[in-house]
Amino acid sequence: MAPSVLIQASVMLATLGAILLLCFSLFFPGRLAHMLRYEMPEPHNHTFSVRVERLLSLLSLMGVVWSGASVFQIDVCGLLR
């Protein structure tokens, strides 16, 4: 394989991995909180935390997709070959 194709493939795989992790945090916030050992003593704070976490995950998801799309728009740098 050409080095430029290898670089593009690795960027795409890293982007897809980050997208999958962010989607996991969007759809399963309870499991994520359990994995991170996050506990809230008050129930209304838990609802607020889940909403903020989902909003920040969506914001991060847009950033990851935006930065990952650069692999299709910009040529691979000649210095990385």
Side-chain angles (χ1 to χ4, degrees):
M1 285 176 82
S4 62
V5 174
L6 187 62
I7 292 170
Q8 286 178 336
S10 63
V11 169
M12 286 174 34
L13 283 174
T15 301
L16 287 176
I19 288 172
L20 287 175
L21 286 173
L22 286 169
C23 285
F24 177 78
S25 70
L26 272 174
F27 296 116
F28 304 109
R31 287 188 180 178
L32 180 66
H34 179 70
M35 286 177 10
L36 297 175
R37 297 185 178 134
Y38 178 73
E39 295 179 12
M40 267 292 184
E42 298 179 30
H44 71 281
N45 283 344
H46 175 71
T47 304
F48 175 75
S49 295
V50 168
R51 287 180 182 173
V52 168
E53 183 266 334
R54 283 184 172 160
L55 181 64
L56 291 175
S57 293
L58 278 173
L59 184 64
S60 299
L61 185 63
M62 287 189 288
V64 167
V65 169
W66 184 262
S67 64
S70 67
V71 77
F72 299 113
Q73 299 169 353
I74 300 173
D75 260 349
V76 177
C77 180
L79 295 176
L80 294 176
R81 294 184 190 175

